[in-house]
Amino acid sequence: MAGVSNNPNSARQKMINLMYLVFIAMMALNVSSEVLDGFELVEHSLRASTENTTTRNEHIMANLDRAYQVNPAKVGEWRAMGANVKTQSDDLIKYIEELKLRIVQESDGKDGDVENIEHKDDLEAASRVMLAPVVGEGKKLKERLNGYCSTMCSVVGDPSKKTMFESMLSTDPVKKAGIVAGSWETALFENMPVSAAVTLLTKIQSDVRTVEGEVLSTLITNVDVGDYRVNKIEALVIPKSQIVTSGIPYEAQIVLAAVDSTKQPEYYLGETLLKNNLISVSTGGTGDRTLSGKVVADGETYAFETKYAVTESAATIAPMLMNFLYESIDNDMEIAMSGVPSGAVKASLTGHGSIVFKDKNIWTVKGLSISSSPKVTVTLTGNVGGRNVSGSKEFTVRSLPDPLPFISYKDANETVRKFKGGTISKRNLVDAPGVQAAIDDGVLNVPYTVTGFTLSIVDALGNYIPEVSNSGEFTARQKEVIRNIARGKRFYISNVKTLDPAGKPVAIGYSMEVIVN
């Protein structure tokens, strides 16, 4: 008897990474019904993969049970540990399945069906179930995943497997460009369409079954098979991934359990004799696939069958802000291609401007101008398994919104504040260097260079007195006016002239009223 391994592989991880990128991109994109239907297809494929992994794990557990029947004293400890691993895995899988049903019922009503979601684009259901204050299940799920991961890591002794478990079941806060962008549960379920949330939970179930299989494989390898004889030999197929991208070969290893290591079995795919126990089948098109064959050893024949799914190659091109680009500033966007390492993706810009690599999956589009063209296209190219793949997306170029002037000062706690109009103390005005301008609307934070402004007051005789600065700083005369103005009186900042980040002159029509306290 030999242990069955569920070793992780690059193809599977690339698929999972792609799913995360698509989930993130959905937060910024106006998602079409076709995309939501696509998530349903991915969810079905993941579910099939999970079921196959479950079957494989049951084979391993059955081998432990048979070994226990032959030698209870020797195998009892490992069998008990395996039973505990299976129980914890089943409980967690059941809990996640209940969460999926609750989210669907929150969207479709009490008769909601996970396999037939009606309101796939509902952005509120997942948030209500997973993120509601006090009763939200997001934190509970995170705690259960952390506890499960900790328990599984304590069973295996291989540091590399522990690292794999911690990576697959990670609930660390989500980071963007090295900055914490939110908690794990918020990033995964806030404003997430129902179809995407269900797919994500199915992906977690798949990861749990994969970890369960790795732990069970470790336990069975710890059993000394020389102390007893097995009563069944099986041919098993261990795929690198049961979900592959079109154009990437399906690869798997054929394993015959409990054979004599001095004898070499013969491996057949269909009726074709293989050179070794490795399967590599080219993929084209999409859909479910089935492979079958046999292993011949000691005159006996052992049949096997395995299933896998082929998905369409995809490219993710998602701006960090919205589904359009701004002229005059650098626009960061997240770029990835299924099956292509981030460092091997090539990006180009059609229309005008340029696109440059920044860090990891982040690229920057520069030098855009509406006067050159209101549209640009980002095109990606890469190579997957010797096959060239590509993807592209068109973006609208927009003008930046108008900046607003403000006076920067420090409050009593030495915190920098932006005064944009109203009442302010004379002391803060006197200490302020001058007038600044920026776009600061909660989405953009773009500073402008002030090249001039007018400070105006109305004297006691009703005369309008303007004082002009040819920079962003208060002139000596303007400072004198501020010092001499009585409390309760007011003046105005107007005719603010600026340069945008590209150096283009921008005049601000807004006039700021300042009341001296």
Side-chain angles (χ1 to χ4, degrees):
M1 179 178 62
V4 180
S5 172
N6 292 316
N7 290 332
N9 55 83
S10 58
R12 184 177 186 280
Q13 282 302 123
K14 289 171 184 174
M15 180 61 193
I16 294 172
N17 293 342
L18 171 62
M19 289 177 60
Y20 275 116
L21 291 173
V22 173
F23 292 158
I24 294 170
M26 285 182 62
M27 303 298 292
L29 297 174
N30 181 17
V31 183
S32 66
S33 60
E34 289 81 2
V35 173
L36 294 172
D37 291 340
F39 276 105
E40 185 176 6
L41 293 176
V42 173
E43 198 273 341
H44 288 165
S45 295
L46 282 171
R47 193 186 309 162
S49 175
T50 304
E51 292 173 355
N52 290 335
T53 305
T54 301
T55 300
R56 200 160 56 242
N57 295 348
E58 290 173 352
H59 281 311
I60 302 174
M61 196 63 207
N63 287 338
L64 271 175
D65 289 336
R66 286 191 291 269
Y68 175 76
Q69 294 172 7
V70 174
N71 193 339
K74 186 71 175 180
V75 186
E77 177 185 1
W78 309 114
R79 179 177 177 271
M81 294 174 67
N84 181 54
V85 167
K86 185 178 187 304
T87 297
Q88 292 200 36
S89 301
D90 290 345
D91 289 345
L92 184 52
I93 292 290
K94 180 181 178 182
Y95 170 64
I96 297 174
E97 194 65 31
E98 292 171 352
L99 293 181
K100 290 159 59 174
L101 180 60
R102 285 183 57 185
I103 291 174
V104 173
Q105 290 179 339
E106 183 72 20
S107 173
D108 295 349
K110 64 179 181 179
D111 295 327
D113 182 2
V114 174
E115 296 186 18
N116 187 22
I117 304 172
E118 295 181 5
H119 301 93
K120 302 174 185 177
D121 59 347
D122 188 335
L123 299 177
E124 299 295 332
S127 296
R128 287 194 292 268
V129 173
M130 304 302 293
L131 304 177
V134 182
V135 297
E137 295 291 340
K139 291 184 179 179
K140 298 178 184 178
L141 175 59
K142 178 167 68 174
E143 291 173 358
R144 292 195 63 165
L145 284 173
N146 290 339
Y148 178 82
C149 181
S150 178
T151 300
M152 297 304 108
C153 287
S154 67
V155 175
V156 299
D158 186 351
S160 64
K161 286 192 176 183
K162 292 182 179 179
T163 300
M164 182 193 75
F165 294 173
E166 291 168 354
S167 175
M168 294 182 69
L169 303 176
S170 174
T171 59
D172 291 339
V174 176
K175 292 184 178 181
K176 291 183 180 180
I179 300 175
V180 175
S183 65
W184 173 83
E185 62 272 22
T186 299
L188 265 60
F189 298 107
E190 187 176 47
N191 295 324
M192 186 67 67
V194 169
S195 59
V198 169
T199 301
L200 177 57
L201 289 172
T202 302
K203 177 260 175 191
I204 295 175
Q205 288 178 314
S206 178
D207 288 341
V208 169
R209 285 304 187 199
T210 299
V211 170
E212 177 194 22
E214 287 293 330
V215 176
L216 292 177
S217 295
T218 299
L219 292 178
I220 202 169
T221 57
N222 290 333
V223 177
D224 186 358
V225 296
D227 285 353
Y228 53 85
R229 297 180 61 187
V230 297
N231 56 16
K232 186 177 181 181
I233 299 177
E234 292 184 275
L236 303 177
V237 178
I238 313 284
K240 283 189 174 182
S241 175
Q242 288 183 304
I243 301 177
V244 296
T245 302
S246 178
I248 300 178
Y250 170 83
E251 296 180 344
Q253 184 177 21
I254 306 170
V255 175
L256 185 63
V259 297
D260 187 342
S261 61
T262 64
K263 298 179 180 180
Q264 179 63 41
E266 292 181 343
Y267 302 94
Y268 291 83
L269 182 59
E271 296 300 325
T272 302
L273 177 63
L274 303 178
K275 294 181 179 180
N276 50 43
N277 66 336
L278 299 178
I279 296 176
S280 180
V281 180
S282 60
T283 59
T286 60
D288 295 333
R289 303 284 189 272
T290 300
L291 293 178
S292 60
K294 60 186 177 182
V295 179
V296 179
D298 296 329
E300 298 289 337
T301 300
Y302 307 94
F304 66 83
E305 181 178 279
T306 185
K307 296 181 179 181
Y308 65 97
V310 181
T311 62
E312 189 61 61
S313 176
T316 299
I317 309 172
M320 303 299 287
L321 294 174
M322 298 181 182
N323 194 25
F324 50 80
L325 303 175
Y326 284 109
E327 68 173 352
S328 301
I329 65 171
D330 292 349
N331 296 265
D332 286 347
M333 61 172 52
E334 193 161 13
I335 283 177
M337 295 191 74
S338 174
V340 182
S342 60
V345 176
K346 296 180 180 180
S348 61
L349 195 66
T350 303
H352 65 284
S354 62
I355 183 169
V356 296
F357 178 75
K358 184 176 182 180
D359 180 46
K360 296 182 180 178
N361 291 332
I362 307 301
W363 291 66
T364 302
V365 176
K366 301 182 176 184
L368 299 181
S369 173
I370 294 179
S371 61
S372 298
S373 174
K375 302 281 187 179
V376 294
T377 300
V378 176
T379 301
L380 306 185
T381 57
N383 187 282
V384 179
R387 173 175 174 265
N388 292 327
V389 293
S390 64
S392 64
K393 185 174 181 64
E394 184 181 71
F395 295 94
T396 298
V397 180
R398 289 190 178 184
S399 298
L400 286 168
D402 292 335
L404 290 177
F406 63 89
I407 296 174
S408 180
Y409 70 94
K410 291 184 179 180
D411 62 15
N413 296 321
E414 294 298 310
T415 301
V416 177
R417 302 290 185 183
K418 292 181 179 180
F419 173 77
K420 299 180 181 179
T423 302
I424 185 174
S425 71
K426 179 181 289 190
R427 177 179 177 181
N428 287 336
L429 282 172
V430 172
D431 291 342
V435 175
Q436 298 170 270
I439 300 172
D440 186 7
D441 58 4
V443 176
L444 294 172
N445 185 9
V446 182
Y448 279 57
T449 301
V450 176
T451 60
F453 65 93
T454 300
L455 185 153
S456 306
I457 62 171
V458 179
D459 65 12
L461 299 178
N463 297 316
Y464 176 81
I465 303 175
E467 294 291 345
V468 178
S469 172
N470 293 319
S471 70
E473 298 181 355
F474 288 123
T475 65
R477 177 58 186 160
Q478 288 174 335
K479 283 283 190 180
E480 182 180 352
V481 170
I482 293 173
R483 291 190 187 94
N484 293 334
I485 196 169
R487 298 184 187 279
K489 298 298 182 179
R490 63 194 65 197
F491 63 86
Y492 300 88
I493 301 293
S494 61
N495 298 325
V496 180
K497 300 176 182 178
T498 67
L499 297 176
D500 70 10
K504 184 173 65 176
V506 177
I508 301 177
Y510 173 78
S511 179
M512 181 168 59
E513 182 183 52
V514 182
I515 302 173
V516 180
N517 183 14

